Amino acid sequence: MYTSNLNNLILNSDSYKTSHWVQYPNGSEYLSSYIETRKGDYDVVFFGLQAFIKEYLSTPITTQDIDEAEMVIQAHGLTFNRAGWERLVAKHGGYLPLRIEAIPEGSIVPVSNVVCQVINTDPEFYWLPSYIETALLRAIWYPSTVASVSHYCKGIIRQALEKSADNTASLPFRLHDFGARGASSQETVALGSLAHLVNFAGTDSMTALVAASRWYQMGKDMPAFSIPAAEHSTMTAWGRDGETAAFANMIEQFGGEDKAFSVVSDSYDLWNAIDNIWGGSLKEDVKNMGGTLVIRPDSGEPTKVVREALERLAVKFGTTTNSKGYKVLPDYVRIIQGDGISPQSLSKIIEVVMKAGFSAENVTFGMGGGLLQQVNRDTMSWAMKASAISIAGVWKDIYKDPVTSRSKRSKKGRLALVKDDSGAIQTIKADDLTNEADNLLREVYIDGQLLMDDSLTTIRERAGW
């Protein structure tokens, strides 16, 4: 009946957008819209725009796209702006006549500030900034939210290491991405797992490695790492009576100088595994293998399980006391908690661990759904709104100000982002800029051309790597 082309940009929008070109006032020439987080518990780590531009805005719209879109939209019961899209192909070669400004990716700003702004560059296409809202907002809110949550977690872990460890050198590997299987799609993994890598260097999402090469210049550099790890199937395949043999096989296969491997150890009885296998029959093998065994609990209440696991391991393997006065297990044994991790539970686990006298360096975390899937647009109240329109050569502010929800009040005018005299970041009207160089928004895209092409390495540096 109709196209199967998911990359048709005309169809990458909400249905109701198709009729908007006749809804603006006569004489409309330019429309300026912006994106912000209206509220939230995390500072914004901006990320993902470059990936969207490379994947979707760098390929021109074609007559075939128009034909397919017309068929779908009219069959869908809506009006279609065929003349407008044909004009875009004829006049601009199918590239969108837009200017997109944004803060550099990896920048960190408080909520309720403009992070991206879009305006048409050709007055014939006053309807275009709003038409791409669906795709553009989605392209920004999801990876930026994941990057923001990940960055928040990094701050929690950094603070704990600064208080309880001799150094913070291991910080980039303290939160591992376990989210690939729980994400809603492969593109979700590509964007979300890659957003996590703005802050950390541990992932089990190989799709993120592909995405880093495809969109962020990491083809010659490996942006993240992992270690060999067991799952329940590889352990239970040995049978309950063969658990010791299964664990011994892990040491044989993956032990060695400076090597690390993870073993899920609660397929049956975590406490038996710690007390009688790892700390019993295999104790000398663990001590002498030359690498690091990372024991992974995978069930139970995380704060209680992690604390008790540490206490039992301390009995079996001993601890030393570091310069901060906290207990540290021998280098050859550690714990990774990857079940039930969220920003809130992570903080509680660390608090319990340190209260029990253990350094945070004894524990690494893995986060899956809490990182990639348990976020939505409302997590940080992302919105894209029109804020200024030029009609017959005259600019005027436009905004929404519903009496039923002051939190949904939108900003007015063409906007800029600046640092005030105290260094605080704030949004102002572009007309109030005294020096254009003070504007933190940078041109990223103009009329089909990507103007800023950053590597993940550069973005990490902006985010305080």
Side-chain angles (χ1 to χ4, degrees):
M1 170 187 161
Y2 55 82
T3 177
S4 59
N5 178 17
L6 284 172
N7 291 324
N8 188 334
L9 192 64
I10 303 174
L11 295 173
N12 192 356
S13 188
D14 286 313
S15 301
Y16 79 123
K17 295 284 190 182
T18 63
S19 65
H20 288 181
W21 98 95
V22 294
Q23 296 184 29
Y24 290 99
N26 290 333
S28 294
E29 299 169 323
Y30 299 97
L31 185 72
S32 183
S33 298
Y34 73 98
I35 293 175
E36 69 168 337
T37 60
R38 290 179 292 213
K39 58 183 179 180
D41 296 328
Y42 318 111
D43 284 340
V44 179
V45 180
F46 186 71
F47 185 72
L49 177 59
Q50 181 173 302
F52 174 71
I53 291 172
K54 286 187 173 182
E55 192 69 20
Y56 295 104
L57 301 190
S58 297
T59 301
I61 290 168
T62 65
T63 300
Q64 182 180 358
D65 292 332
I66 296 172
D67 292 341
E68 291 173 341
E70 181 178 41
M71 180 169 53
V72 172
I73 290 169
Q74 289 186 343
H76 190 42
L78 296 168
T79 184
F80 180 64
N81 184 14
R82 183 178 183 96
W85 290 109
E86 286 183 331
R87 183 65 173 157
L88 188 147
V89 170
K91 192 172 183 181
H92 296 283
Y95 292 102
L96 302 189
L98 297 173
R99 182 174 77 245
I100 300 175
E101 302 174 302
I103 57 175
E105 298 197 28
S107 297
I108 302 170
V109 300
V111 298
S112 299
N113 280 296
V114 56
V115 295
C116 181
Q117 189 165 238
V118 57
I119 186 174
N120 55 299
T121 58
D122 183 331
E124 288 190 51
F125 301 94
Y126 56 87
W127 47 270
L128 193 55
S130 182
Y131 194 91
I132 70 161
E133 174 190 353
T134 307
L136 181 61
L137 179 59
R138 182 179 59 227
I140 289 173
W141 83 252
Y142 175 68
S144 293
T145 300
V146 174
S148 301
V149 170
S150 174
H151 183 264
Y152 176 81
C153 292
K154 190 174 186 178
I156 294 172
I157 299 170
R158 177 189 283 112
Q159 187 175 35
L161 289 175
E162 288 173 347
K163 183 176 180 180
S164 69
D166 287 337
N167 61 71
T168 61
S170 64
L171 179 59
F173 296 96
R174 288 289 165 183
L175 185 62
H176 203 83
D177 173 14
F178 285 169
R181 73 186 59 187
S184 58
S185 69
Q186 186 179 24
E187 184 166 285
T188 302
V189 177
L191 292 168
S193 292
L194 184 57
H196 173 66
L197 297 186
V198 171
N199 305 296
F200 289 94
T203 189
D204 259 29
S205 295
M206 290 190 286
T207 302
L209 311 180
V210 178
S213 174
R214 182 179 181 87
W215 297 322
Y216 289 93
Q217 300 184 28
M218 299 301 285
K220 295 182 180 179
D221 300 298
M222 177 49 61
F225 303 89
S226 188
I227 60 174
E231 68 176 22
H232 290 293
S233 74
T234 63
M235 296 297 96
T236 58
W238 296 72
R240 190 177 193 121
D241 292 339
E243 188 171 40
T244 298
F247 289 176
N249 181 61
M250 293 296 292
I251 295 175
E252 180 181 351
Q253 297 295 333
F254 305 113
E257 196 68 30
D258 298 325
K259 294 183 178 180
F261 60 96
S262 170
V263 185
V264 62
S265 300
D266 70 339
S267 294
Y268 308 109
D269 184 343
L270 176 64
W271 311 131
N272 178 68
I274 291 175
D275 294 344
N276 299 318
I277 304 178
W278 294 124
S281 57
L282 297 180
K283 180 176 179 179
E284 293 305 312
D285 295 325
V286 172
K287 290 174 64 175
N288 297 324
M289 68 181 178
T292 301
L293 162 67
V294 185
I295 295 173
R296 178 164 72 90
D298 194 41
S299 57
E301 204 289 306
T303 56
K304 295 179 181 178
V305 169
V306 172
R307 181 184 62 193
E308 186 168 348
L310 287 172
E311 290 171 342
R312 287 174 181 255
L313 287 170
V315 170
K316 292 297 179 178
F317 293 101
T319 62
T320 57
T321 301
N322 65 20
S323 65
K324 303 292 179 64
Y326 287 84
K327 292 179 286 188
V328 182
L329 292 168
D331 290 343
Y332 52 75
V333 63
R334 289 289 185 269
I335 288 177
I336 183 168
Q337 176 65 32
D339 180 58
I341 298 301
S342 67
Q344 294 72 34
S345 68
L346 183 150
S347 180
K348 290 178 181 177
I349 293 167
I350 289 177
E351 181 181 357
V352 167
V353 164
M354 292 172 59
K355 191 171 290 186
F358 289 93
S359 170
E361 66 188 285
N362 291 293
V363 185
T364 298
F365 297 92
M367 190 185 296
L371 180 67
L372 300 190
Q373 202 62 30
Q374 292 171 13
V375 298
N376 56 47
R377 188 165 69 92
D378 292 332
T379 300
M380 301 181 72
S381 192
W382 287 90
M384 177 171 169
K385 298 298 176 187
S387 58
I389 190 168
S390 174
I391 303 174
V394 178
W395 278 100
K396 69 172 186 176
D397 296 348
I398 56 177
Y399 58 96
K400 59 178 290 187
D401 189 11
V403 296
T404 50
S405 179
R406 292 304 183 191
S407 66
K408 289 196 171 186
R409 178 186 297 166
S410 64
K411 292 177 168 55
K412 306 175 183 179
R414 289 170 290 172
L415 304 174
L417 190 70
V418 298
K419 287 185 178 180
D420 63 20
D421 293 340
S422 67
I425 293 174
Q426 62 175 329
T427 299
I428 65 171
K429 286 189 174 183
D431 292 342
D432 293 335
L433 276 172
T434 56
N435 184 352
E436 183 62 36
D438 293 336
N439 191 357
L440 300 178
L441 299 179
R442 299 285 184 264
E443 291 183 341
V444 180
Y445 171 95
I446 296 181
D447 300 341
Q449 298 298 311
L450 176 66
L451 303 182
M452 291 185 66
D453 189 359
D454 286 329
S455 68
L456 181 61
T457 300
T458 297
I459 292 167
R460 282 171 158 175
E461 290 170 354
R462 288 197 193 107
W465 184 266

